[in-house]
Short mmCIF file of all heavy atoms in Angstrom, two decimals:
data_model
loop_
_atom_site.label_atom_id
_atom_site.label_comp_id
_atom_site.label_asym_id
_atom_site.label_seq_id
_atom_site.Cartn_x
_atom_site.Cartn_y
_atom_site.Cartn_z
N ASN B 53 -5.89 -18.28 -11.94
CA ASN B 53 -6.13 -17.93 -13.33
C ASN B 53 -7.62 -18.08 -13.62
O ASN B 53 -8.25 -19.01 -13.12
CB ASN B 53 -5.33 -18.84 -14.27
CG ASN B 53 -3.83 -18.66 -14.12
OD1 ASN B 53 -3.37 -17.60 -13.73
ND2 ASN B 53 -3.07 -19.70 -14.43
N CYS B 54 -8.16 -17.18 -14.43
CA CYS B 54 -9.57 -17.23 -14.77
C CYS B 54 -9.75 -17.13 -16.28
O CYS B 54 -8.97 -16.49 -16.97
CB CYS B 54 -10.34 -16.08 -14.10
SG CYS B 54 -10.40 -16.20 -12.29
N ALA B 55 -10.81 -17.82 -16.76
CA ALA B 55 -11.19 -17.76 -18.17
C ALA B 55 -12.64 -17.32 -18.24
O ALA B 55 -13.51 -17.95 -17.64
CB ALA B 55 -11.00 -19.12 -18.83
N ALA B 56 -12.89 -16.23 -18.98
CA ALA B 56 -14.24 -15.69 -19.12
C ALA B 56 -14.76 -16.01 -20.52
O ALA B 56 -14.17 -15.59 -21.52
CB ALA B 56 -14.24 -14.19 -18.88
N GLN B 57 -15.83 -16.79 -20.60
CA GLN B 57 -16.44 -17.13 -21.88
C GLN B 57 -17.23 -15.94 -22.42
O GLN B 57 -17.62 -15.04 -21.67
CB GLN B 57 -17.37 -18.34 -21.71
CG GLN B 57 -16.73 -19.56 -21.06
CD GLN B 57 -15.83 -20.32 -22.00
OE1 GLN B 57 -15.90 -20.15 -23.22
NE2 GLN B 57 -14.98 -21.18 -21.45
N SER B 58 -17.47 -15.96 -23.73
CA SER B 58 -18.28 -14.90 -24.33
C SER B 58 -19.72 -14.94 -23.85
O SER B 58 -20.45 -13.96 -23.94
CB SER B 58 -18.24 -15.03 -25.85
OG SER B 58 -18.72 -16.31 -26.24
N THR B 59 -20.14 -16.08 -23.30
CA THR B 59 -21.50 -16.21 -22.76
C THR B 59 -21.64 -15.60 -21.37
O THR B 59 -22.74 -15.51 -20.83
CB THR B 59 -21.90 -17.69 -22.69
OG1 THR B 59 -20.95 -18.39 -21.86
CG2 THR B 59 -21.92 -18.32 -24.07
N GLY B 60 -20.51 -15.18 -20.77
CA GLY B 60 -20.54 -14.60 -19.45
C GLY B 60 -20.11 -15.55 -18.35
O GLY B 60 -19.97 -15.14 -17.20
N GLN B 61 -19.89 -16.81 -18.68
CA GLN B 61 -19.47 -17.79 -17.68
C GLN B 61 -17.98 -17.61 -17.38
O GLN B 61 -17.17 -17.44 -18.29
CB GLN B 61 -19.73 -19.20 -18.19
CG GLN B 61 -19.39 -20.29 -17.18
CD GLN B 61 -19.65 -21.68 -17.74
OE1 GLN B 61 -19.98 -21.82 -18.93
NE2 GLN B 61 -19.50 -22.69 -16.92
N VAL B 62 -17.63 -17.63 -16.10
CA VAL B 62 -16.24 -17.45 -15.68
C VAL B 62 -15.79 -18.67 -14.89
O VAL B 62 -16.49 -19.12 -13.98
CB VAL B 62 -16.08 -16.18 -14.80
CG1 VAL B 62 -14.64 -16.02 -14.34
CG2 VAL B 62 -16.54 -14.95 -15.57
N GLN B 63 -14.64 -19.20 -15.25
CA GLN B 63 -14.07 -20.35 -14.54
C GLN B 63 -12.69 -19.97 -14.03
O GLN B 63 -11.88 -19.42 -14.78
CB GLN B 63 -13.96 -21.56 -15.47
CG GLN B 63 -15.30 -22.11 -15.93
CD GLN B 63 -15.17 -23.28 -16.89
OE1 GLN B 63 -14.14 -23.43 -17.54
NE2 GLN B 63 -16.20 -24.11 -16.96
N CYS B 64 -12.44 -20.26 -12.76
CA CYS B 64 -11.16 -19.90 -12.14
C CYS B 64 -10.51 -21.15 -11.54
O CYS B 64 -11.20 -22.06 -11.09
CB CYS B 64 -11.36 -18.84 -11.06
SG CYS B 64 -11.94 -17.25 -11.67
N ARG B 65 -9.18 -21.13 -11.54
CA ARG B 65 -8.44 -22.24 -10.94
C ARG B 65 -7.24 -21.68 -10.19
O ARG B 65 -6.50 -20.85 -10.71
CB ARG B 65 -7.97 -23.21 -12.03
CG ARG B 65 -7.35 -24.49 -11.46
CD ARG B 65 -6.95 -25.45 -12.57
NE ARG B 65 -5.79 -24.95 -13.30
CZ ARG B 65 -5.16 -25.63 -14.26
NH1 ARG B 65 -5.62 -26.82 -14.62
NH2 ARG B 65 -4.12 -25.12 -14.86
N LEU B 66 -7.07 -22.13 -8.96
CA LEU B 66 -5.95 -21.67 -8.15
C LEU B 66 -4.64 -22.24 -8.68
O LEU B 66 -4.60 -23.32 -9.28
CB LEU B 66 -6.14 -22.12 -6.70
CG LEU B 66 -7.31 -21.50 -5.92
CD1 LEU B 66 -7.46 -22.19 -4.58
CD2 LEU B 66 -7.10 -20.01 -5.73
N HIS B 67 -3.56 -21.48 -8.45
CA HIS B 67 -2.24 -22.01 -8.78
C HIS B 67 -1.95 -23.20 -7.87
O HIS B 67 -2.00 -23.09 -6.65
CB HIS B 67 -1.17 -20.92 -8.57
CG HIS B 67 -1.34 -19.74 -9.47
ND1 HIS B 67 -1.53 -19.84 -10.82
CD2 HIS B 67 -1.34 -18.40 -9.21
CE1 HIS B 67 -1.65 -18.63 -11.37
NE2 HIS B 67 -1.55 -17.74 -10.39
N GLU B 68 -1.64 -24.33 -8.48
CA GLU B 68 -1.52 -25.56 -7.69
C GLU B 68 -0.22 -25.64 -6.91
O GLU B 68 -0.20 -26.11 -5.78
CB GLU B 68 -1.66 -26.77 -8.63
CG GLU B 68 -3.03 -26.87 -9.29
CD GLU B 68 -3.13 -28.03 -10.24
OE1 GLU B 68 -2.10 -28.70 -10.44
OE2 GLU B 68 -4.22 -28.28 -10.79
N SER B 69 0.86 -25.21 -7.49
CA SER B 69 2.15 -25.38 -6.83
C SER B 69 2.87 -24.04 -6.73
O SER B 69 2.96 -23.29 -7.71
CB SER B 69 3.02 -26.37 -7.60
OG SER B 69 4.33 -26.44 -7.05
N LEU B 70 3.38 -23.75 -5.55
CA LEU B 70 4.13 -22.51 -5.36
C LEU B 70 5.48 -22.58 -6.05
O LEU B 70 5.93 -21.61 -6.67
CB LEU B 70 4.31 -22.25 -3.86
CG LEU B 70 5.20 -21.07 -3.47
CD1 LEU B 70 4.59 -19.76 -3.96
CD2 LEU B 70 5.43 -21.03 -1.98
N LEU B 71 6.14 -23.73 -5.98
CA LEU B 71 7.48 -23.86 -6.53
C LEU B 71 7.50 -23.86 -8.05
O LEU B 71 8.54 -23.59 -8.65
CB LEU B 71 8.13 -25.15 -6.00
CG LEU B 71 8.30 -25.24 -4.48
CD1 LEU B 71 8.90 -26.57 -4.09
CD2 LEU B 71 9.17 -24.09 -3.98
N SER B 72 6.37 -24.15 -8.67
CA SER B 72 6.32 -24.16 -10.13
C SER B 72 6.13 -22.77 -10.72
O SER B 72 6.23 -22.59 -11.94
CB SER B 72 5.20 -25.08 -10.61
OG SER B 72 3.94 -24.58 -10.22
N LEU B 73 5.86 -21.78 -9.89
CA LEU B 73 5.65 -20.41 -10.38
C LEU B 73 6.99 -19.76 -10.73
O LEU B 73 8.04 -20.14 -10.21
CB LEU B 73 4.94 -19.57 -9.32
CG LEU B 73 3.51 -19.99 -8.95
CD1 LEU B 73 3.00 -19.13 -7.81
CD2 LEU B 73 2.59 -19.88 -10.16
N ASP B 74 6.92 -18.77 -11.61
CA ASP B 74 8.12 -18.02 -11.96
C ASP B 74 8.62 -17.23 -10.75
O ASP B 74 7.86 -16.93 -9.82
CB ASP B 74 7.82 -17.05 -13.11
CG ASP B 74 7.50 -17.78 -14.40
OD1 ASP B 74 7.95 -18.94 -14.53
OD2 ASP B 74 6.81 -17.21 -15.26
N VAL B 75 9.90 -16.86 -10.80
CA VAL B 75 10.50 -16.13 -9.69
C VAL B 75 9.82 -14.77 -9.50
O VAL B 75 9.58 -14.33 -8.37
CB VAL B 75 12.01 -15.95 -9.93
CG1 VAL B 75 12.63 -15.09 -8.83
CG2 VAL B 75 12.70 -17.31 -9.97
N HIS B 76 9.51 -14.10 -10.62
CA HIS B 76 8.89 -12.77 -10.49
C HIS B 76 7.51 -12.86 -9.85
O HIS B 76 7.09 -11.97 -9.12
CB HIS B 76 8.80 -12.09 -11.86
CG HIS B 76 7.63 -12.51 -12.69
ND1 HIS B 76 7.60 -13.69 -13.39
CD2 HIS B 76 6.43 -11.90 -12.91
CE1 HIS B 76 6.44 -13.79 -14.01
NE2 HIS B 76 5.71 -12.73 -13.75
N MET B 77 6.79 -13.98 -10.10
CA MET B 77 5.48 -14.16 -9.48
C MET B 77 5.63 -14.40 -7.97
O MET B 77 4.88 -13.82 -7.17
CB MET B 77 4.76 -15.34 -10.12
CG MET B 77 3.40 -15.62 -9.55
SD MET B 77 2.14 -14.46 -10.05
CE MET B 77 1.79 -15.08 -11.70
#
Side-chain angles (χ1 to χ4, degrees):
N53 295 333
C54 294
Q57 306 284 343
S58 58
T59 58
Q61 183 181 6
V62 179
Q63 294 178 337
C64 295
R65 188 178 71 175
L66 294 172
H67 297 311
E68 296 178 355
S69 174
L70 174 64
L71 299 178
S72 65
L73 296 175
D74 294 336
V75 175
H76 82 281
M77 179 75 78

